[in-house]
Amino acid sequence: MDKEIKKSKKTVGEGVGFERIRRITGYLVGTLDRFNNAKKAEVNDRVTHATK
């Protein structure tokens, strides 16, 4: 019975559009369009942490 319930339930947030937001030098940004080369380099130099 539990398996039937799990199949019918929708995951929270499923189907909701999400834009990536990053914090760069204290600013929350979605895109890097307006940032100079130094701030773009900061993004490229960051360490990516693995998620489960």
Side-chain angles (χ1 to χ4, degrees):
M1 182 173 179
D2 289 332
K3 289 181 182 179
E4 292 175 17
I5 293 171
K6 287 181 182 178
K7 286 182 182 179
S8 66
K9 282 190 173 182
K10 189 175 181 181
T11 303
V12 174
E14 186 177 328
V16 176
F18 179 79
E19 182 179 326
R20 182 177 178 181
I21 297 175
R22 294 176 257 194
R23 183 172 175 256
I24 303 169
T25 59
Y27 298 96
L28 293 175
V29 297
T31 63
L32 305 176
D33 297 344
R34 301 180 68 199
F35 276 35
N36 63 25
N37 291 338
K39 289 183 182 176
K40 289 178 183 178
E42 180 184 335
V43 173
N44 291 332
D45 293 342
R46 289 180 177 227
V47 175
T48 303
H49 301 283
T51 58
K52 290 183 180 183

